[in-house]
């Protein structure tokens, strides 16, 4: 099955499941679980564009998430923006930061581990700046969007309270991110990006402008990740330097696509579902065994990461493809 | 403290393995009869993370109140219905606290008490508002909490506006009585949650108006593990008075670093000092703690019931500090409202809270009156650590000792 | 502007802390120099060692300084085992993959600590941490002085070890020319594990030196990773002298940064140095060109 022909059926399955979920699930907890899983899949897709397709592993991807989220919150809380009006600025912020960090890193030829480390440093630098720039970000206290309690203004304030509004937003965002990944796999830009991932010097030798393509990739990645930040801001109505630029989001964003399958369209989605289900099961197990103790779910994430890297470098999607191929060749 | 995990099983059964389910339902069996009558109260506190000490103290205080109510026959206007705590851990993070509220909603709580810190409480009250759950903030002093127009949010204790005013007023009186030895002030405050920065600003304005000179304002993050630079700057500033406002661990570290570096101002006058009126601090570092003053939450030392609760706390192996009696009082406040509402309906409880004039509490407050969720009768007291005791030195009607100001050499 | 005595005091504080940073970075640079892997788990391993020190102190009353040989030995075994059984086996090919594997290991370690010990801060409160030497401009407490002296001593001892002993020679051989060393009969896998072990033992020692002044929680791993990487990148990957000088520079930068720019903004210096070095001089001050 070629890539083109396998995408649309899978996409169809996803859409059916996505529409069926709110109709069949009545538990607020599980709808919330799905919403968060989709949201994180979007962030993972953002990472995937630069890391999976581009081969540039970023350890500080939160720098894009945090910028998008902060802009979304600050424009509303401090300048009275309408949330819809703030979104383009937030996304643009992601692009600008992408361009800034990308320019510095790629211009000075940072690759591989050095690139990973400098993204880490950028995220940490932004975290410190966000903590110190109290006039803009309210510093370490965090900055809040006023809660809208009027259901008739839900769409206007982009706040959906306790209903399924956020779920639908998450579905829309996931669809958009899947389509972007599909476009990458079927475009010339994507082909060039993958060529750079495989062997940057060889790609340059055949005429690919590696710097330009990588810049485009990091900006696109930044835009999508910042868009994820917008969702977070509207759902949780609060942002602080640790949520925005801390290591938690950075790690989550890279673990999902790696486990799901780097450089694949559905990798981040599969990874997110797998990890979060696993995480939820471990949380229950922990709760039953020792009560109120965080950490077991993240241990599982770490183990999954190491195992996948060691045994299944193409992630779960890669595994599924292998199994399908084996089925097909047996038939 | 009984762990009420069984009440969260309804949705968790979907996920937990059958072994876990069997084990926990077996545990749950004998309680099913009581479960039908019990009113669930959500308790969300940072019981892990850098606020772990204070969060755990708050949880203890709230549970002390619940146990006392249940022992005395539960909510009588509802036929003796018992109270059940549903425990949540905010992990010292605002966003996790908000997630715990969702869990409380699933568990069907009638009300929430929490979440110690201003930052976490801002997030939890907001989330609770989405579901219409009445939420009493036990400690969180930021005035932003009660000025967002959220009708579900209540606070029985004072906010930092009131506390700063009392802090300035008492300082002026103390200073005058001692012949005005203090002219210059250095403020040290935490800036990772709304509490520290907020109170520092209020104190700065209040003190400037009163003619004091603020020569240094030093912010630091929470948690913070090294105060060498701050203490160096305090040494350089050589202010007459140092005013710290921060959480427990940082306060202790600051005080000990000052002791180590021989930085000895005429007085350390804390306003919401994290350890300044804490028995734990006094016990562990009696030298560093001597003569430290605080303007903070305190119980009414002349109220016999307060002394009873203090004894019960000590019997439970805990220190009787502000987290305990504020959470205890917040829980009692909710229970009184439920008594008057005669129902576990959230809207009715909210209404009863808003119209409360409850006076059966152990705090040194004026008459209870709720405006925008805030009890306008609430106020702090001034304390000082003298010898082995934490004495109340102001206002006069509650004083148990005379202030030693400035510090003896 | 601050009085020169205040600035001098801050610099001295920075040197004290910086010496421990040097020790931490030493382990990292050794691991890089020999195995050519950037060990992301370095910070969480330090955190784990610190928990070990706390455990010994809280449960058995063993003073952290007396526990140093024990903790260092334990850390060596941990590092040896980790390299032999996990990292060595799972990292093939690109060094970003190795970096990711060590990231995975650090996530596992950090959250095991979180799960077992909870996020509450643990403190090793030694009774003599108020005593020390009065220098006039500042008061240096015993833990600070001990940390400074011990770090330098251990660095010197390690340098002698690598320079003079047979194993040291083997380590240098493997670092310089892996295949060649194999050809002359050096057990390269064993040397890898030994190097990783020594690097972790440095962490064990550093843990004992830090414990009396640094509260312990699962999150400190991340903080130390950043510092360790900055020092190693500043000093030059694989350079002992670089780790030593780099550590002191970073310690002083952190201290002066906090003095002049406040506790929050002062921390920016470290990230900035890291970024600038990576961009403009990735081989660091003393590093060899790879």
């Amino acid at each position: 099955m070629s890539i083109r022909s396998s995408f649309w059926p899978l996409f169809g399955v996803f859409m059916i499941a996505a529409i069926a979920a709110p109709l069949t699930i009545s538990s607020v907890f599980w709808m919330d679980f799905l919403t968060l899983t989709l949201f994180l899949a979007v962030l993972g897709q953002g990472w995937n564009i630069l890391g999976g397709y581009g081969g540039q592993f970023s350890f500080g991807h939160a720098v894009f998430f945090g910028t998008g989220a902060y802009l979304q919150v600050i424009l509303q809380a401090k300048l009275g923006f309408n949330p819809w009006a703030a979104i383009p600025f937030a996304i643009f912020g992601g692009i600008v930061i992408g361009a800034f960090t990308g320019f510095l890193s790629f211009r000075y030829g940072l690759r591989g581990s050095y690139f990973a480390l400098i993204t880490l440093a950028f995220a940490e630098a932004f975290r410190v700046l966000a903590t110190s720039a109290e006039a803009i970000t309210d510093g370490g206290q965090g900055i809040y969007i006023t809660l809208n309690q009027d259901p008739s203004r839900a769409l206007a304030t982009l706040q959906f309270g306790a209903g399924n509004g956020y779920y639908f937003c998450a579905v829309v965002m996931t669809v958009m991110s899947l389509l972007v990944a599909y476009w990458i796999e079927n475009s010339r830009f994507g082909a060039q990006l993958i060529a750079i991932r495989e062997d940057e010097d060889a790609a340059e030798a055949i005429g690919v402008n590696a710097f330009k393509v990588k810049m485009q990739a990091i900006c696109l990645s930044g835009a999508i990740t910042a868009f994820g930040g917008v969702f977070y801001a509207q759902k949780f109505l609060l942002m602080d330097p640790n949520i925005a630029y801390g290591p938690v989001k950075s790690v989550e964003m890279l673990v999902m696509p790696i486990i799901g399958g780097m450089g694949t369209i559905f990798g981040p989605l599969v990874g997110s579902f797998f990890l979060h289900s696993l995480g939820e099961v471990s949380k229950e197990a922990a709760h039953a065994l020792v009560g109120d103790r965080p950490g077991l779910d993240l241990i599982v994430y770490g183990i999954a990461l190491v195992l996948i890297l060691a045994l299944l470098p193409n992630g779960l999607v890669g595994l599924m493809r292998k199994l399908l191929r084996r089925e097909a060749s047996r038939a | 403290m009984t762990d009420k995990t069984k009440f969260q099983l309804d949705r968790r059964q979907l996920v937990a393995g059958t072994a876990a389910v069997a084990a926990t339902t077996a545990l749950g069996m004998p309680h099913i009869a009581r479960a039908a009558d019990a009113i669930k109260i959500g308790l969300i506190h940072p019981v892990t993370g850098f606020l772990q000490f204070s969060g755990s103290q708050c949880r203890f205080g709230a549970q002390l109140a619940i146990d006392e109510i249940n022992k005395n026959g539960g909510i009588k206007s509802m036929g003796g219905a018992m109270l059940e705590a549903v425990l949540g851990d905010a992990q010292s993070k605002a966003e996790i606290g908000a997630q715990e509220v969702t869990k409380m909603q699933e568990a069907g709580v009638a009300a929430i008490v929490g979440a110690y810190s201003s930052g976490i409480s801002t997030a939890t009250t907001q989330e609770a508002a989405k579901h219409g759950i009445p939420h009493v903030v036990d400690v969180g002093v930021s005035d932003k909490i009660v000025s967002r127009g959220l009708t579900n949010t209540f606070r029985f204790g004072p906010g930092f506006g009131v506390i700063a005013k009392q802090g300035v007023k008492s300082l002026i009186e103390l200073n005058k009585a001692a012949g005005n030895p203090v002219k210059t002030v250095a403020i040290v405050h935490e800036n990772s949650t709304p509490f520290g920065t907020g109170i520092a600003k209020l104190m700065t304005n209040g003190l400037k108006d009163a003619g004091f000179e603020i020569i240094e304002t030093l912010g630091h993050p929470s948690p913070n593990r090294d105060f060498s630079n701050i203490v160096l700057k305090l040494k350089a500033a050589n202010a007459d008075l140092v005013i710290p406002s921060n959480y427990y661990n940082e306060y202790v570290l600051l005080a000990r670093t000052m002791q180590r570096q021989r930085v000895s101002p005429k007085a350390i006058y804390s306003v919401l000092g994290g350890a300044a009126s804490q028995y734990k601090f006094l016990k562990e570092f009696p030298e560093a703690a001597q003569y430290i003053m605080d303007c903070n939450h305190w119980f009414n030392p002349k109220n016999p019931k307060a002394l009873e609760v203090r004894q019960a706390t000590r019997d439970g192996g805990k220190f009787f500090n502000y987290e305990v009696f504020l959470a205890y009082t917040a829980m009692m406040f909710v229970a009184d409202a439920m008594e008057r509402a005669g129902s576990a309906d959230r809207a009715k409880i909210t209404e009863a809270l808003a119209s409360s004039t409850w006076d059966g509490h152990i705090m040194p407050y004026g008459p209870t009156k709720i405006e925008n969720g805030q009890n306008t009768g609430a106020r702090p007291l001034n304390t000082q650590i003298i010898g082995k005791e934490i004495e109340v030195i102001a206002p006069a009607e509650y004083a148990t000792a005379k202030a030693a100001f400035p510090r003896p050499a | 502007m601050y009085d020169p005595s205040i600035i001098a005091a801050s610099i001295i504080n920075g040197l004290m802390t910086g010496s421990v940073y040097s020790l931490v970075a030493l382990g990292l640079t050794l691991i890089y120099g020999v195995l050519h892997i950037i060990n992301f788990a370095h910070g969480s391993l330090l955190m784990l060692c610190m928990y070990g020190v706390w455990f010994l102190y809280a449960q058995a009353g063993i003073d952290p300084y007396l526990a140093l040989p024990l903790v260092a030995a334990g850390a060596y075994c941990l590092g040896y085992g980790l390299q032999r059984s996990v990292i060595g086996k799972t990292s093939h090919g690109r060094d970003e993959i190795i970096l990711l594997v060590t990231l995975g290991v650090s996530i596992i370690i950090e959250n095991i600590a979180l799960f077992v010990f909870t996020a509450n801060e643990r403190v090793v409160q030694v009774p003599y941490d108020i005593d020390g030497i009065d220098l006039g401009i500042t008061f240096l407490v015993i833990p600070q002085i001990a940390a400074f002296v011990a770090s330098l001593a251990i660095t010197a001892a390690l340098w002698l070890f690598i320079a003079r002993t047979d194993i040291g020679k083997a380590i240098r051989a493997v670092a310089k020319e892996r295949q060649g060393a194999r050809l002359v009969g050096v057990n390269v896998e064993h040397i890898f594990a030994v190097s990783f072990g020594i690097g972790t033992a440095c962490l064990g020692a550093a843990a004992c030196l830090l414990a009396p002044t640094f509260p312990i929680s699962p999150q400190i791993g991340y903080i130390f990773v950043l510092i360790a990487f900055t020092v190693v990148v500043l000093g030059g990957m694989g350079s002992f002298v670089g780790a030593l000088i780099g550590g002191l520079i970073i310690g002083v930068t952190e201290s002066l940064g906090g003095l002049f720019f406040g506790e929050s903004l002062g921390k920016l210096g470290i990230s900035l140095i890291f970024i600038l070095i990576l961009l403009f001089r990735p081989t660091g001050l003393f590093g060899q060109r790879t």
Side-chain angles (χ1 to χ4, degrees):
Chain A
M1 279 210 273
S2 78
I3 291 174
R4 191 161 290 172
S5 62
S6 72
F7 173 74
W8 291 111
L10 288 172
F11 184 74
V13 168
F14 169 73
M15 285 309 294
I16 295 173
I19 295 175
L23 302 174
T24 53
I25 299 176
S26 57
S27 157
V28 171
F29 174 78
W30 284 111
M31 287 310 296
D32 217 44
F33 172 85
L34 286 178
T35 309
L36 280 174
T37 305
L38 290 175
F39 153 69
L40 285 160
V42 171
L43 291 183
Q45 193 69 274
W47 187 93
N48 192 28
I49 291 172
L50 186 63
Y53 289 111
Q56 313 297 318
F57 292 0
S58 149
F59 273 31
H61 228 65
V63 75
F64 307 115
F65 166 79
T67 303
Y70 254 125
L71 280 169
Q72 184 72 9
V73 178
I74 292 172
L75 290 175
Q76 289 178 69
K78 298 247 169 186
L79 297 177
F81 267 53
N82 175 288
W84 293 96
I87 293 179
F89 286 93
I91 297 180
F92 185 65
I95 297 177
V96 166
I97 299 297
F100 172 68
T101 54
F103 179 80
L104 285 176
S105 316
F106 301 140
R107 166 78 179 71
Y108 289 94
L110 289 177
R111 296 189 200 173
S113 310
Y114 285 93
F115 176 74
L117 291 180
I118 206 176
T119 57
L120 189 68
F122 277 123
E124 180 58 20
F126 270 78
R127 193 189 65 79
V128 173
L129 285 171
T131 313
S132 318
E134 283 183 17
I136 306 174
T137 62
D138 281 354
Q141 309 163 42
I143 182 167
Y144 290 81
I145 298 177
T146 327
L147 176 70
N148 166 51
Q149 298 191 272
D150 180 356
S152 69
R153 299 201 65 229
L155 215 51
T157 58
L158 215 51
Q159 290 181 35
F160 300 101
N164 280 332
Y166 287 117
Y167 172 75
F168 289 119
C169 289
V171 171
V172 167
M173 292 173 73
T174 309
V175 166
M176 289 165 84
S177 71
L178 289 172
L179 292 174
V180 167
Y182 177 70
W183 169 77
I184 287 184
E185 286 204 2
N186 292 291
S187 71
R188 200 175 125 109
F189 163 73
Q192 292 180 326
L193 188 60
I194 293 173
I196 291 172
R197 174 188 78 199
E198 295 303 314
D199 189 333
E200 184 164 338
D201 298 315
E204 286 251 295
I206 62 167
V208 173
N209 183 343
F211 177 75
K212 178 162 150 232
V213 173
K214 285 199 288 190
M215 283 294 286
Q216 288 168 334
I218 198 171
C219 290
L220 181 59
S221 175
I224 294 180
T225 314
F227 193 33
V230 166
F231 177 85
Y232 189 98
Q234 292 305 129
K235 178 154 197 341
F236 293 97
L237 302 173
L238 103 93
M239 191 46 47
D240 74 32
N242 281 307
I243 301 173
Y245 297 116
V248 175
K249 286 281 174 301
S250 288
V251 167
E252 253 184 324
M253 271 188 258
L254 66 82
V255 163
M256 282 179 293
I258 292 177
I259 291 189
M262 285 189 272
T264 66
I265 299 175
F266 288 96
L269 188 60
V270 167
S272 184
F273 262 100
F274 178 74
L275 276 181
H276 283 97
S277 311
L278 206 57
E280 205 52 44
V281 170
S282 359
K283 266 194 250 189
E284 295 312 314
H287 205 95
L289 290 172
V290 291
D292 241 354
R293 294 249 221 175
L296 193 61
D297 53 334
L298 288 168
I299 298 176
V300 169
Y301 286 19
I303 295 177
L305 179 62
V306 175
L307 286 176
I308 293 278
L309 285 169
L311 306 169
L312 290 174
N314 290 319
L316 293 173
V317 169
L319 176 67
M320 287 194 259
R321 280 196 189 146
K322 230 198 299 187
L323 294 174
L324 284 170
R325 234 173 278 146
R326 219 183 289 164
E327 286 287 312
S329 66
R330 242 186 250 143
Chain B
M1 302 304 136
T2 36
D3 183 24
K4 307 295 174 200
T5 55
K6 43 194 169 305
F7 296 98
Q8 295 157 306
L9 272 180
D10 298 322
R11 57 133 172 105
R12 287 172 180 240
Q13 272 172 344
L14 292 168
V15 184
T18 35
V21 169
T24 36
T25 37
L27 282 171
M29 282 303 226
H31 298 268
I32 281 184
R34 223 178 79 181
D37 291 323
I39 306 171
K40 296 189 203 146
I41 310 282
L43 300 181
I44 303 179
H45 295 105
V47 293
T48 60
F50 73 97
L51 294 171
Q52 163 266 339
F53 171 64
S54 300
S56 310
Q57 296 282 100
C58 279
R59 182 188 268 192
F60 174 83
Q63 284 176 313
L64 196 67
I66 290 179
D67 289 343
E68 191 186 301
I69 294 167
N70 286 347
K71 212 185 312 175
N72 293 337
I75 305 293
K76 299 181 187 62
S77 70
M78 287 178 63
M82 295 285 135
L83 295 179
E84 292 286 4
V86 180
L87 300 177
D89 176 12
Q91 296 179 35
S92 304
K93 296 188 191 142
E95 41 166 3
I96 308 283
Q99 285 174 32
E100 293 292 280
V101 173
T102 319
K103 280 210 278 200
M104 301 291 164
Q105 163 68 6
E106 275 285 301
V109 299
I112 293 178
V113 171
Y116 175 65
S117 94
S118 297
I120 304 176
S121 304
T122 309
T124 54
T125 48
Q126 189 161 265
E127 190 68 29
K130 287 188 197 167
H131 305 286
I133 310 176
H135 186 322
V136 175
V137 175
D138 42 20
V139 179
V141 293
S142 164
D143 282 323
K144 256 197 244 166
I145 297 177
V146 287
S147 45
R148 292 170 295 166
L150 296 178
T151 50
N152 74 317
T153 303
F154 298 91
R155 183 170 62 197
F156 198 73
F160 54 31
V162 167
I163 296 175
K165 227 188 268 169
Q166 170 80 15
V168 173
K169 181 159 168 282
S170 300
L171 180 60
I172 294 173
E173 284 168 10
L174 274 170
N175 207 22
K176 204 161 24 161
N180 290 322
V182 168
K183 294 178 188 54
T184 57
V185 174
I187 298 178
V188 178
H189 67 94
E190 69 90 39
N191 58 19
S192 291
T193 79
F195 138 64
T197 314
I199 195 110
K201 223 179 284 184
L202 291 167
M203 287 304 291
T204 303
N205 294 337
L207 290 171
K208 273 214 195 107
D209 289 343
F212 291 93
E213 196 196 331
I214 320 277
I215 49 179
E216 268 288 16
T217 305
L218 302 168
H220 67 80
S222 300
N224 190 39
R225 44 197 75 76
D226 181 46
F227 278 89
S228 345
N229 279 326
I230 287 194
V231 172
L232 275 175
K233 290 193 231 190
L234 285 177
K235 202 177 188 178
N238 201 18
D240 296 324
L241 193 75
V242 172
I243 302 184
S245 299
N246 43 24
Y247 289 107
Y248 185 86
N249 289 335
E250 285 69 38
Y251 194 99
V252 172
L253 199 51
L254 173 66
R256 299 194 75 228
T257 312
M258 284 175 71
Q259 185 196 9
R260 204 181 291 161
Q261 297 294 334
R262 318 290 194 259
V263 173
S264 209
K266 294 195 179 133
I268 297 180
Y269 181 85
S270 337
V271 178
L272 292 175
S277 49
Q278 290 267 8
Y279 287 107
K280 178 171 149 91
F281 178 44
L282 172 56
K283 177 157 178 278
E284 288 175 5
F285 304 109
E287 274 175 37
Q290 280 308 304
Y291 302 119
I292 284 185
M293 301 170 116
D294 201 4
C295 179
N296 210 328
H297 312 282
W298 201 249
F299 59 93
N300 183 351
K302 313 254 161 115
N303 181 326
K305 181 79 171 63
L307 300 176
E308 267 175 47
V309 180
R310 181 168 76 171
Q311 193 52 51
T313 305
R314 288 178 175 169
D315 292 340
K318 301 277 186 192
F319 295 99
F320 191 57
N321 47 21
Y322 74 92
E323 299 100 332
V324 173
F325 48 79
L326 278 181
Y328 171 89
T329 302
M331 188 58 236
M332 287 299 192
F333 178 47
V334 172
D336 174 77
M338 285 196 285
E339 224 21 283
R340 285 169 33 238
S343 145
D345 173 71
R346 288 171 181 173
K348 294 219 179 87
I349 296 179
T350 305
E351 212 197 288
L353 286 167
S355 58
S356 178
T357 52
W358 180 50
D359 62 355
H361 56 77
I362 60 171
M363 304 302 286
Y365 295 163
T368 301
K369 184 165 177 303
I370 310 293
E371 267 176 36
N372 290 328
Q374 172 66 46
N375 173 16
T376 54
R379 68 165 124 172
L381 292 184
N382 286 86
T383 62
Q384 185 170 29
I385 297 179
I386 303 177
K388 292 216 179 93
E389 208 19 274
I390 303 179
E391 308 281 1
V392 177
I393 53 171
E397 71 219 75
Y398 298 107
T400 58
K402 199 162 172 305
F405 183 93
R407 299 212 263 210
Chain C
M1 247 302 113
Y2 291 105
D3 200 75
S5 67
I6 300 288
I7 298 179
S10 190
I11 292 178
I12 293 177
N13 284 331
L15 287 172
M16 299 287 122
T17 330
S19 67
V20 187
Y21 292 164
S22 298
L23 188 56
V24 172
L26 205 58
L28 187 62
T29 213
L30 177 66
I31 292 174
Y32 181 81
V34 179
L35 292 94
H36 294 294
I37 70 177
I38 301 180
N39 178 22
F40 206 87
H42 209 65
S44 28
L45 287 169
L46 174 61
M47 177 266 291
L48 204 60
C49 292
M50 287 180 81
Y51 268 109
V53 176
W54 168 77
F55 190 77
L56 286 175
Y57 188 76
Q59 305 294 77
I62 304 179
D63 180 271
Y65 299 113
L66 295 176
L68 201 146
L70 185 61
V71 176
Y76 174 82
C77 297
L78 174 66
Y80 188 96
L82 201 59
Q83 163 60 22
R84 211 71 208 252
S85 55
V86 179
I87 297 177
K89 293 235 150 66
T90 54
S91 34
H92 20 249
R94 308 163 66 184
D95 31 280
E96 299 96 273
I97 302 290
I98 300 174
L99 192 59
L100 282 170
V101 169
T102 53
L103 173 68
V105 170
S106 79
I107 294 173
I108 296 172
I109 294 177
E110 213 169 277
N111 287 288
I112 288 181
L114 178 60
F115 187 64
V116 171
F117 296 113
T118 78
N120 312 322
E121 280 187 355
R122 313 284 175 179
V123 176
V124 169
Q125 197 78 58
V126 292
Y128 44 82
D129 71 351
I130 286 283
D131 309 314
I133 305 177
D134 194 345
L135 294 179
I137 50 175
T138 187
F139 190 87
L140 282 181
V141 286
I142 292 181
Q144 277 179 303
I145 303 168
F148 186 71
V149 170
S151 301
L152 294 181
I154 294 174
T155 306
L158 201 54
W159 191 81
L160 281 173
F161 176 81
I162 301 281
R164 299 289 162 85
T165 65
D166 280 343
I167 297 195
K169 277 201 203 111
I171 291 177
R172 277 183 292 139
V174 170
K176 240 202 174 90
E177 179 52 66
R178 197 175 290 188
Q179 288 299 78
R182 209 191 295 270
L183 287 173
V184 298
V186 175
N187 181 346
V188 172
E189 273 66 41
H190 172 67
I191 293 296
F192 278 168
V194 167
S195 307
F196 205 98
I198 296 179
T200 316
C202 290
L203 290 178
C208 295
L209 300 176
L210 282 170
T213 51
F214 211 91
I216 305 163
S217 67
Q219 298 89 353
I220 61 179
Y222 176 68
I223 299 165
F224 277 109
V225 148
L226 288 172
I227 295 177
F229 278 176
T230 308
V231 172
V232 168
V233 161
L234 173 64
M237 296 271 205
S239 161
F240 257 49
V241 176
L244 185 62
I245 308 271
L248 296 174
I249 294 179
I250 293 296
V252 172
T253 307
E254 193 185 44
S255 192
L256 287 178
L259 185 69
F260 286 110
F261 300 112
E263 292 298 310
S264 303
L265 198 55
K267 305 240 183 330
L268 189 62
I270 296 182
S271 307
L272 270 183
I273 290 183
F274 195 26
I275 293 173
L276 291 172
I277 294 282
L278 276 177
L279 292 178
F280 299 117
R281 205 193 156 107
T283 50
L285 296 172
F286 298 95
Q288 313 106 356
R289 228 107 41 78
T290 38

